[in-house]
Amino acid sequence: MTSTTTRPTLPATPEPPAATPPRRRRHWWNSKEAIAGYIFIGPMVLLFAVFRIWPAIYGIVLAFGDYSLRRTYTFIGLDHFIELFQDAIFWDALKVTVIFAAIQMPLAMIVSLGMAQLCNRALRGMGIYRSIFFLPTVTSSVLIALVFMWIFSGSGPINALLEMFGLEGVGWLTDRFWVLPTLAILSVWSSFGYNMLILLAGMLAIPTEYYEAASLDGASGWAKFWHITLPNLKPALFFVLIIETIKSLQTFDSIFVMTGGGPARGSYTLTFMIYDQGFGYFNFGYASAAGVVLLIITLALSLIQRKIVGKND
């Protein structure tokens, strides 16, 4: 009797993977989409370089030289900066700028956040309200300044309202104490629509599940705002804070129209001093040195805010 034994079959040896052909590196000039993108953004980059980058570089060069309409450029090093730091008008202008920013910036943040919270509701006609609130942003700043000049004039509606309640009228634009708060109100009114849209977009991006879970836990409206809305709104708040910082330090047009730097230099900011030295006395180098100082202050404040507010974003 013959016995037959079956040998276990060995698994088939897997075939080595076929060698993939080396992937060809695609350069930007090989992609039609990339070329189309560069063509579309090219004009904007060119305009930005011509009207933003080049004037900034040219202004820094002027700050280190002596130049006016009657003289050619002569390099003088740090002379303009030494003269600037010994100028009492510069320190007064810097003080006025800091006070104006200290009033305008917090006020703008509070008003913008409050309006965004009000508009973050599912009410009928809310789209119309949001459009109306955005109107000051697209209105000419000079036109807004002229209207506010009438509103805050001695015989304007604000003083008339005060007199109705038996109060004495205030020299909003002629009193050194009141002129900066008045200009800050105008600045906030003209910019809160744009800030509101930024903050509102941030609020709408917060998942509704967070609020539903908080409601189940019995959280109040203020608790939801403090523990859910504000932490999730941090990137948008940081962006608005940077925008308002730059704006408060560089406000010029409304001051030029409404007060001309007065009364008694009460609204004579650094930007007004730069304009005065550059286009009033044609000291372009000295004006550029003041502009460089303002640029350094703006960058320093932005970096500090980035360190404090937006370090985790």
Side-chain angles (χ1 to χ4, degrees):
M1 184 176 179
T2 51
S3 63
T4 58
T5 57
T6 57
R7 291 183 177 182
T9 57
L10 296 175
T13 304
E15 294 289 337
T20 55
R23 192 172 182 179
R24 294 182 61 187
R25 187 177 177 185
R26 298 185 66 186
H27 299 283
W28 66 269
W29 54 82
N30 290 334
S31 169
K32 292 182 180 179
E33 294 82 4
I35 293 174
Y38 284 114
I39 290 174
F40 278 113
I41 67 171
M44 188 61 208
V45 172
L46 182 63
L47 290 175
F48 185 78
V50 171
F51 293 106
R52 292 287 186 177
I53 303 298
W54 167 243
I57 296 173
Y58 191 63
I60 294 173
V61 172
L62 283 181
F64 293 93
D66 187 17
Y67 177 75
S68 70
L69 291 178
R70 293 172 296 179
R71 296 190 296 270
T72 56
Y73 179 81
T74 307
F75 182 76
I76 59 172
L78 297 174
D79 287 2
H80 280 319
F81 293 95
I82 296 172
E83 183 183 357
L84 195 66
F85 293 139
Q86 295 173 346
D87 190 348
I89 296 177
F90 165 74
W91 290 109
D92 285 342
L94 182 60
K95 179 182 174 184
V96 170
T97 304
V98 171
I99 295 174
F100 177 76
I103 299 172
Q104 191 268 346
M105 200 164 42
L107 192 61
M109 295 297 295
I110 293 171
V111 172
S112 303
L113 188 59
M115 293 304 297
Q117 184 67 16
L118 284 176
C119 291
N120 189 22
R121 298 169 185 272
L123 296 179
R124 189 174 183 182
M126 184 53 75
I128 298 175
Y129 297 138
R130 292 171 183 171
S131 302
I132 293 174
F133 294 148
F134 190 72
L135 274 180
T137 304
V138 296
T139 307
S140 165
S141 57
V142 175
L143 180 61
I144 294 174
L146 291 174
V147 173
F148 268 70
M149 276 182 70
W150 169 71
I151 293 175
F152 286 99
S153 63
S155 57
I158 299 294
N159 277 346
L161 189 64
L162 291 176
E163 291 170 1
M164 281 178 58
F165 292 96
L167 300 174
E168 189 176 352
V170 176
W172 302 102
L173 298 174
T174 56
D175 189 320
R176 191 181 167 88
F177 178 80
W178 288 106
V179 65
L180 288 181
T182 306
L183 291 171
I185 291 172
L186 164 64
S187 179
V188 171
W189 191 84
S190 61
S191 66
F192 83 89
Y194 177 79
N195 298 336
M196 180 200 69
L197 282 188
I198 299 294
L199 297 175
L200 182 61
M203 289 179 179
L204 293 175
I206 299 174
T208 56
E209 290 81 4
Y210 295 174
Y211 296 102
E212 292 170 358
S215 299
L216 292 175
D217 290 339
S220 63
W222 171 252
K224 293 177 188 174
F225 177 77
W226 186 257
H227 295 290
I228 297 176
T229 304
L230 279 185
N232 287 282
L233 208 58
K234 201 174 173 183
L237 281 172
F238 175 67
F239 176 77
V240 172
L241 182 63
I242 293 294
I243 294 294
E244 284 303 317
T245 301
I246 296 172
K247 182 182 178 185
S248 62
L249 293 175
Q250 299 183 356
T251 298
F252 172 74
D253 44 4
S254 58
I255 296 174
F256 181 79
V257 173
M258 295 180 72
T259 64
R265 296 187 186 276
S267 59
Y268 196 78
T269 58
L270 263 183
T271 51
F272 206 95
M273 179 184 175
I274 294 169
Y275 168 81
D276 224 9
Q277 290 294 330
F279 298 99
Y281 303 105
F282 299 110
N283 294 326
F284 297 118
Y286 194 63
S288 298
V292 169
V293 172
L294 180 61
L295 172 66
I296 293 172
I297 293 173
T298 306
L299 285 176
L301 281 177
S302 301
L303 290 175
I304 292 171
Q305 290 169 345
R306 171 70 184 172
K307 190 77 176 175
I308 297 174
V309 180
K311 56 184 177 183
N312 295 324
D313 301 319

